[in-house]
């Protein structure tokens, strides 16, 4: 096993900032292109989405910190036009690279099987099978549709002590989204337009058998490249938060192989 690499705290800080594109020495293009925006998201693995906007939307602030003044519509073009980005759950609701869809297939499969669902949500989803079928049928017929056009009065309401209380249609959309059956096809302001995922994401990647071990290994390496200096907990919290099964053993093996 390789000898440990020792870094000063100052050096560790500098390489971490450099890897994140936040240091003063980072070369920023004078006029950032859509390709530059895509490269930043691919390097980070994900950029969190948040509807709250005080100065600007969170994903635009992340990109501005790394690229400076750029076209604020670039991320939206990449996600809803070119489809080189798509919305999915990373460490939170995020824009993630379509080229890395295979990293998220294990979570999609776990939601489809019900393994990833809390028992109450799993039972509620089964009880609302008619609502699920209606949503998929409408999307298949109409294409991109807002949530307001997808509900049904007969559905069993979703109850919660949190902000999802009585968001019955929205809760079913969340389930279908996490299952990889539907995706955000476009946005009108903060409102999402939903459509079948098969129309917007690569069919081969979307239907490929999930490979959890392979995805965990690749995601851990991507997380470490983005963080550069990190604890196992830091890696676990990045990109696929809480979904790195067997991470301690994996990291030990990667050190043994001299890869990290």
């Amino acid at each position: 096993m390789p000898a440990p690499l020792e870094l000063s705290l100052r050096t560790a800080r500098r390489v971490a900032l450099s890897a994140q594109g936040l240091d003063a020495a980072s070369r920023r293009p004078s006029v950032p292109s859509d390709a530059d925006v895509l490269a930043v998201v691919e390097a980070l693995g994900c950029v969190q989405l948040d509807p709250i906007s005080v100065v600007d939307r969170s994903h635009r602030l992340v990109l501005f910190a790394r690229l400076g003044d750029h076209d604020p519509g670039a991320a939206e073009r990449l996600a809803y036009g070119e489809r080189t980005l798509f919305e999915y759950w990373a460490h939170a609701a995020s824009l993630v690279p379509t080229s890395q869809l295979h990293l998220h297939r294990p979570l999609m499969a776990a939601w489809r099987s019900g393994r990833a669902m809390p028992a109450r949500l799993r039972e509620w989803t089964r009880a609302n099978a008619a609502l699920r079928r209606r949503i998929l049928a409408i999307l298949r017929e109409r294409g991109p549709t807002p949530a307001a056009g997808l509900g049904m009065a007969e559905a069993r309401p979703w109850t919660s002590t949190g902000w999802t209380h009585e968001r019955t249609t929205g809760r079913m959309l969340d389930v279908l989204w996490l299952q990889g059956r539907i995706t955000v096809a476009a946005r009108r302001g903060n409102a999402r337009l939903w459509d079948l995922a098969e129309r917007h994401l690569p069919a081969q990647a979307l239907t490929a058998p999930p490979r959890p071990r392979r995805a965990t290994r690749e995601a851990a390496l991507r997380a470490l490249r983005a963080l550069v200096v990190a604890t196992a907990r830091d890696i676990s919290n990045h990109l696929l938060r809480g979904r790195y099964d067997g991470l301690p053993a994996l990291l030990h093996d990667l050190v043994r192989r001299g890869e990290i």
Side-chain angles (χ1 to χ4, degrees):
M1 184 174 294
L5 174 67
E6 294 188 5
L7 298 175
S8 69
L9 183 57
R10 177 181 174 83
T11 299
R13 287 171 174 160
R14 290 179 66 182
V15 296
L17 286 171
S18 179
Q20 285 284 313
L22 293 171
D23 64 325
S26 291
R27 291 186 177 180
R28 296 180 176 179
S30 56
V31 182
S33 65
D34 288 9
D36 295 318
V37 172
L38 178 60
V40 168
V41 183
E42 288 181 332
L44 297 176
C46 60
V47 174
Q48 184 173 336
L49 289 170
D50 196 313
I52 297 173
S53 178
V54 178
V55 176
D56 203 343
R57 297 284 302 279
S58 62
H59 66 284
R60 292 176 184 161
L61 296 177
V62 169
L63 295 170
F64 180 83
R66 289 156 176 82
L67 293 171
D69 193 15
H70 68 284
D71 186 340
E76 285 72 16
R77 284 195 297 273
L78 293 170
Y80 315 122
E82 296 182 22
R83 297 287 170 188
T84 48
L85 299 176
F86 73 104
E87 294 191 29
Y88 197 63
W89 190 266
H91 68 279
S94 303
L95 287 173
V96 298
T98 304
S99 62
Q100 297 175 24
L101 190 155
H102 60 285
L103 299 181
H104 304 280
R105 286 285 295 130
L107 182 62
M108 292 178 181
W111 272 84
R112 288 196 184 202
S113 69
R115 289 183 289 110
M117 290 191 204
R120 189 169 78 89
L121 179 59
R122 185 165 59 245
E123 188 277 329
W124 176 86
T125 301
R126 288 173 179 166
N128 271 317
L131 174 60
R132 176 179 58 80
R133 290 193 297 268
R134 172 185 168 85
I135 290 173
L136 293 174
I138 290 176
L139 294 181
R140 189 170 299 280
E141 178 183 352
R142 298 180 188 171
T145 305
L150 295 168
M152 57 187 287
E154 300 81 4
R156 173 177 155 184
W158 171 256
T159 58
S160 168
T161 58
W163 68 276
T164 60
H165 180 62
E166 294 189 345
R167 288 184 62 251
T168 302
T169 302
R171 202 67 179 117
M172 184 60 76
L173 288 169
D174 289 342
V175 170
L176 292 170
W177 175 58
L178 286 165
Q179 289 178 339
R181 299 182 189 277
I182 65 174
T183 192
V184 180
R187 281 181 177 260
R188 292 175 183 163
N190 286 334
R192 294 173 290 186
L193 300 185
W194 297 95
D195 199 3
L196 300 179
E198 64 197 45
R199 290 177 175 157
H200 300 273
L201 298 176
Q204 185 175 2
L206 194 62
T207 58
R211 298 185 177 182
R213 290 186 180 180
R214 180 178 176 182
T216 298
R217 185 181 189 282
E218 181 179 336
L221 288 171
R222 286 185 180 277
L224 190 53
R225 288 191 191 102
L227 299 169
V228 180
V229 180
T231 65
R233 183 176 181 179
D234 295 332
I235 294 171
S236 181
N237 284 335
H238 188 79
L239 186 55
L240 306 184
R241 177 174 289 177
R243 309 202 301 271
Y244 291 91
D245 293 337
L247 182 61
L250 170 63
L251 294 177
H252 178 81
D253 184 59
L254 291 171
V255 170
R256 183 179 60 82
R257 293 171 178 270
E259 294 187 47
I260 67 172

